[in-house]
Amino acid sequence: MQLQNTLAFAQTLDAQDPLRAYRDQFHFPKVGGREVVYFAGNSLGLQPKVTQSYVDEVMTDWRELAVEGHFYADKPWWDYHERLAKPLAKVVGAKPEEVTVMNTLTVNLHLLMVSFYRPKGKRFKILCEEKAFPSDQYMLQSQVRFHGYDPSEAIVEVKKHQGEHFWRSEDILAKIEELGDELALVLIGGVNYYNGQVFDMKTITEVGQKVGAKVGWDLAHAAGNIKLALHDWGVDFATWCSYKYMNSGPGNASGVFIHERHLGQRDIPRFEGWWGAKKETRFLMRPQFEPMDNAEAWQLSNAPVIAVAPYLASLQLFEEVGMDALVEKRNKIVDYLEFILKEIDKEVDPTFEIITPEDRGTQLSVFLHGEGRSLFDYLMRQGVIVDWREPNVIRLAPAPFYCSFEDMYRFGQVLKEGILAKV
Ligand SMILES: *Cc1c(COP(=O)(O)O)cnc(C)c1O
């Protein structure tokens, strides 16, 4: 199909979009009385309209039942989190027993390191991407120091080539082979937060494990964005937040994946708490920890039910739509956005450059040559919500759940006006 940068064409694409009705199921902020073009789904997903009722339900149960809500609420709190495992497992390509929801992302990274970063002898190195998300860098450095190693020796970063904006898979694989029996762990962001690159998780996992390392993934920018098959890929562990593409609200609970081969193992080191103990005997308050046979063994505390409720609400939508349909629309909408960017690039000076490689999800990162933060401020004033990263990259993440093709067109027009007006 020949794409066109016109409103009529964008509206035709919207009319053909099987997911178009879902836009109405989200709350959009307004600027100047008009719903914004929202491209920040990679930072904080919009609020689904159904979410309020899930939170209200918990608040009402608490008000009317108090402590009895633990067992007698319609959705009892003591096992509330269990409702998330099945739909969440589908989103990340796992078995329900391999996933749970607990804590927040960086906390979970630390907890998983306890189990899966076990340096011994010469095998103490960790492979990651250069310029990983800061929290991941701090987490890795502090873990390495905690084990008595020097981060500059223990953390090996795969670099991009001079003049390139992405990591080459062959560089990662070669580094893994080179480190061989010195490599304890590979831990990379499955989708890079800055350039939107999707890593070849299947192959990297396979090669990492072949040299005897554990392989884990930070899926903050991957969960709900790309198709994952964590179980089949044999990933050792993964964790992600729920407030980006999973639309569960600011700072909300994190998801965890632990491959089934690590479940039910009595000798795996782990920081433990009562919510990881067997349900059947949990309330006997025994001194001896008997772990759950599933990923819940890693849980420490009883679930923050008021926070988990929006995650459950959001998963209901994912369950309805499914990742396949989301990915199909995502590809169309991002291709259309790319087309529009290229069309506009022909009409403006200075130009810009898309730095996201072909292996991508919903995010396009655009490097603005000679443009500054004032352009970003202009976009925001015009009701186009994007994300700005120093020095001059804007990140555009049109979530397929709620963004329309018309949004892509409107964005293009505002961008063009902003650059031409030299704001
Ligand atoms: C968003 C993000 C985080 C945020 O961590 P929190 O603990 O949820 O604050 C961490 N790592 C990556 C890669 C992210 O994209």
Side-chain angles (χ1 to χ4, degrees):
M1 191 185 356
Q2 186 59 48
L3 299 175
Q4 296 168 31
N5 184 19
T6 64
L7 178 60
F9 185 79
Q11 287 172 340
T12 309
L13 292 178
D14 279 326
Q16 295 164 357
D17 170 18
L19 300 189
R20 66 184 173 280
Y22 281 92
R23 181 182 178 83
D24 259 355
Q25 300 204 22
F26 288 83
H27 291 290
F28 280 76
K30 288 188 176 148
V31 170
R34 187 170 180 193
E35 287 185 352
V36 297
V37 172
Y38 196 75
F39 283 176
N42 56 347
S43 193
L44 180 71
L46 292 180
Q47 182 184 133
K49 289 180 180 167
V50 69
T51 300
Q52 183 79 49
S53 66
Y54 278 71
V55 177
D56 286 349
E57 182 183 28
V58 180
M59 295 298 282
T60 304
D61 287 339
W62 176 25
R63 186 171 65 232
E64 293 177 358
L65 301 171
V67 71
E68 296 283 273
H70 278 298
F71 296 105
Y72 301 110
D74 269 352
K75 298 190 187 82
W77 305 330
W78 86 289
D79 60 1
Y80 193 99
H81 61 281
E82 289 181 11
R83 292 172 176 76
L84 286 86
K86 232 166 131 181
L88 189 53
K90 279 200 214 161
V91 173
V92 298
K95 296 186 176 184
E97 58 268 31
E98 292 173 317
V99 300
T100 192
V101 166
M102 59 189 205
N103 315 309
T104 48
L105 173 54
T106 307
V107 172
N108 285 337
L109 282 167
H110 277 293
L111 290 175
L112 291 163
M113 291 292 280
V114 170
S115 299
F116 298 107
Y117 177 55
R118 297 156 66 185
K120 204 172 161 199
K122 66 194 281 204
R123 195 185 283 283
F124 65 93
K125 293 190 177 167
I126 300 174
L127 187 87
C128 64
E129 75 279 36
E130 81 171 322
K131 298 198 176 131
F133 192 87
S135 201
D136 299 48
Q137 293 190 48
Y138 308 149
M139 180 279 295
L140 287 178
Q141 290 163 16
S142 59
Q143 282 282 341
V144 160
R145 282 196 305 269
F146 172 76
H147 284 283
Y149 299 97
D150 176 356
S152 68
E153 212 186 324
I155 300 174
V156 180
E157 297 183 346
V158 178
K159 309 221 180 295
K160 294 175 238 173
H161 288 234
Q162 189 77 37
E164 289 183 354
H165 296 291
F166 60 94
W167 289 265
R168 294 189 188 186
S169 213
E170 67 261 28
D171 289 348
I172 298 172
L173 301 179
K175 200 48 135 180
I176 291 173
E177 301 280 3
E178 182 193 318
L179 290 168
D181 60 3
E182 294 178 2
L183 187 62
L185 175 71
V186 177
L187 183 68
I188 298 176
V191 175
N192 183 257
Y193 81 99
Y194 190 80
N195 71 355
Q197 175 176 2
V198 177
F199 287 87
D200 182 354
M201 289 181 248
K202 179 171 186 280
T203 310
I204 294 169
T205 299
E206 203 177 291
V207 174
Q209 289 170 346
K210 219 168 72 199
V211 304
K214 293 281 188 290
V215 182
W217 295 94
D218 180 332
L219 300 177
H221 282 262
N225 173 17
I226 63 166
K227 189 98 171 145
L228 295 161
L230 300 180
H231 177 82
D232 288 346
W233 297 340
V235 167
D236 287 296
F237 69 95
T239 180
W240 55 91
C241 51
S242 64
Y243 47 82
K244 292 172 180 168
Y245 295 107
M246 305 265 350
N247 309 322
S248 301
N252 211 346
S254 158
V256 163
F257 165 89
I258 295 149
H259 198 276
E260 81 181 341
R261 66 176 165 275
H262 301 300
L263 304 178
Q265 306 263 4
R266 298 255 156 182
D267 57 351
I268 197 160
R270 182 172 50 210
F271 287 170
E272 294 170 341
W274 73 320
W275 231 249
K278 274 221 167 6
K279 274 162 65 173
E280 296 74 23
T281 52
R282 186 176 297 161
F283 297 104
L284 298 179
M285 304 307 205
R286 290 178 179 157
Q288 182 70 30
F289 182 78
E290 293 180 70
M292 299 278 295
D293 293 328
N294 56 22
E296 292 181 44
W298 274 260
Q299 291 174 165
L300 301 181
S301 299
N302 72 101
V305 177
I306 297 171
V308 176
Y311 203 172
L312 183 60
S314 163
L315 281 168
Q316 179 194 306
L317 292 173
F318 275 91
E319 181 74 1
E320 245 175 68
V321 175
M323 280 310 294
D324 288 331
L326 282 171
V327 166
E328 200 181 316
K329 173 164 177 193
R330 181 203 75 195
N331 289 340
K332 286 187 187 145
I333 215 160
V334 178
D335 286 352
Y336 189 50
L337 177 60
E338 181 182 30
F339 164 79
I340 285 177
L341 283 165
K342 287 180 174 164
E343 286 297 294
I344 293 192
D345 194 42
K346 293 177 196 161
E347 301 177 45
V348 298
D349 179 41
T351 56
F352 45 82
E353 179 187 353
I354 297 172
I355 61 168
T356 301
E358 263 169 48
D359 295 325
R360 68 191 187 194
T362 203
Q363 177 177 324
L364 289 182
S365 299
V366 181
F367 197 91
L368 301 163
H369 295 285
E371 293 287 348
R373 218 194 132 89
S374 60
L375 178 64
F376 166 78
D377 293 336
Y378 174 79
L379 295 175
M380 297 292 274
R381 279 199 308 276
Q382 298 301 313
V384 174
I385 312 290
V386 300
D387 179 276
W388 172 267
R389 294 284 137 164
E390 296 295 338
N392 46 359
V393 166
I394 50 171
R395 302 187 305 163
L396 314 171
F401 244 129
Y402 47 72
C403 286
S404 65
F405 291 88
E406 187 174 333
D407 286 338
M408 307 304 118
Y409 172 77
R410 197 175 137 201
F411 164 75
Q413 294 303 300
V414 174
L415 180 69
K416 185 168 82 178
E417 284 156 22
I419 297 179
L420 289 179
K422 306 214 181 296
V423 292

